Amino acid sequence: MRIYHYTDLNGLKGIIENHSLWATNFFFLNDSEELRHGIRAFRNALEYLSEDLNEKSINILKNEIIRFNMHRANHQYNISFCEEPDLLSQWRGYGATQGVCLEFESDELIQSLIYGNAQVLSGPVIYTKPDSTLEAKKEIINFLRDEKLIKKIEVEPMYEIISAIDIVHKLPPFLKNDRFSEEKEFRIVVQPNQPYEDVKFRVNAYGVIPYLELNANKNNMWNGRLPLKSIKIGPAKEKAFLWDGIKFLLQSKGYGNVDFSFTETPFRS
């Protein structure tokens, strides 16, 4: 699927010059309840699964979400994308610093990057109300009722614990407060096996921000570059001048076949 990464000119410059994207630690994203909301929704859903799962299975899930919260939650990283290429709320966020929207194909982008010693997940965000358990409950049941998984558990009972660990790691990072639903977010989630390995830090107006730099694989089919499809330029006063500079940057780094367009949103930044 096509996904879109909104950023400003400084962000674009770093992405193109280094052929990389930054994955930010979940607890340092704009949503102050990021990931905590997902963990809470998961835990709440377990209280309403008695008709769908036996007590043993529910207890296994409860134990695993506690372990995840204690040991792994602090070490989850996210690259945010949007499913829409010309969204007003995104231009509002980046308009003051000359925003641009980068288009990728999700599978191509995921295949193009180096993740090192880490697990990688991707998919659309599931938006839920703070006190709702329905969405999390549905996802848990659908996952654990998969026929292939049931057969594996029948052969090897220990696989139930493995599957519980799997769903606990996969679901909470994609559950988000529905007040952010307008963002229509798609995520690439990076879960390092070694908590502080390759972590870098940047400083912004709020403080010190941990992140991972994900570089394009030098041996990928895009000759070590990112599979960038197009760039849409957001609201700006000097659009032609802005594009000339971006085009110069792209060509200097080997991105010669990138399409471009301008936003149709009449937003005055």
Side-chain angles (χ1 to χ4, degrees):
M1 66 180 293
R2 295 299 170 100
I3 54 176
Y4 305 90
H5 184 67
Y6 289 81
T7 187
D8 59 20
L9 291 184
N10 278 319
L12 172 66
K13 177 177 178 292
I15 289 168
I16 298 303
E17 286 185 336
N18 299 308
H19 312 298
S20 68
L21 291 167
W22 288 1
T24 302
N25 187 289
F26 265 87
F27 288 157
F28 295 83
L29 296 171
N30 292 336
D31 178 2
S32 62
E33 284 292 301
E34 196 70 75
L35 194 55
R36 295 183 181 90
H37 172 88
I39 292 171
R40 190 161 52 244
F42 191 100
R43 295 177 72 168
N44 290 344
L46 297 180
E47 302 301 323
Y48 297 90
L49 286 172
S50 59
E51 295 182 1
D52 304 282
L53 300 175
N54 60 51
E55 186 176 354
K56 176 190 171 186
S57 297
I58 293 172
N59 286 334
I60 290 173
L61 289 167
K62 284 182 178 179
N63 290 333
E64 292 308 325
I65 192 65
I66 289 171
R67 289 192 182 96
F68 178 80
N69 190 32
M70 291 178 62
H71 303 295
R72 296 300 302 274
N74 288 334
H75 307 287
Q76 308 286 306
Y77 294 81
N78 176 56
I79 311 175
S80 292
F81 301 86
C82 181
E83 295 180 357
E84 296 292 338
D86 198 359
L87 199 60
L88 175 57
S89 61
Q90 295 295 321
W91 294 133
R92 282 174 173 160
Y94 292 101
T97 49
Q98 297 173 307
V100 292
C101 174
L102 313 184
E103 179 188 2
F104 298 96
E105 199 285 322
S106 57
D107 288 341
E108 288 182 356
L109 179 60
I110 292 165
Q111 292 168 12
S112 74
L113 297 171
I114 300 171
Y115 303 99
N117 188 24
Q119 308 302 314
V120 180
L121 307 170
S122 65
V125 164
I126 303 167
Y127 293 99
T128 72
K129 294 187 181 300
D131 57 349
S132 174
T133 63
L134 294 176
E135 294 86 353
K137 178 181 175 182
K138 178 182 176 182
E139 293 293 328
I140 293 169
I141 292 172
N142 287 344
F143 181 87
L144 295 177
R145 284 184 175 172
D146 180 81
E147 290 184 6
K148 293 181 180 178
L149 177 59
I150 292 172
K151 289 179 180 179
K152 287 181 179 180
I153 293 173
E154 288 175 351
V155 174
E156 176 52 69
M158 277 296 294
Y159 204 85
E160 184 170 11
I161 295 176
I162 296 172
S163 65
I165 295 171
D166 199 19
I167 184 65
V168 162
H169 281 74
K170 285 182 175 179
L171 184 55
F174 292 92
L175 296 173
K176 188 167 183 173
N177 192 308
D178 70 347
R179 290 184 179 274
F180 291 88
S181 61
E182 189 184 47
E183 294 178 351
K184 299 180 180 178
E185 187 178 353
F186 180 99
R187 292 182 161 172
I188 295 177
V189 176
V190 183
Q191 301 175 324
N193 292 324
Q194 299 298 323
Y196 296 102
E197 188 174 36
D198 298 325
V199 177
K200 296 183 177 182
F201 298 89
R202 65 182 188 270
V203 176
N204 67 10
Y206 298 99
V208 179
I209 311 298
Y211 71 97
L212 300 174
E213 184 174 12
L214 303 181
N215 298 99
N217 191 323
K218 292 181 180 180
N219 297 317
N220 69 23
M221 61 184 298
W222 299 275
N223 299 315
R225 301 181 185 89
L226 298 171
L228 179 62
K229 300 290 186 184
S230 71
I231 294 180
K232 186 180 292 291
I233 297 174
K237 295 178 181 179
E238 298 287 343
K239 292 183 178 180
F241 182 84
L242 192 58
W243 170 242
D244 284 342
I246 292 173
K247 182 168 63 174
F248 207 106
L249 170 65
L250 292 172
Q251 291 176 344
S252 74
K253 296 300 178 182
Y255 292 86
N257 298 316
V258 176
D259 295 330
F260 83 96
S261 61
F262 298 103
T263 179
E264 299 179 0
T265 305
F267 172 64
R268 183 177 295 162
S269 61

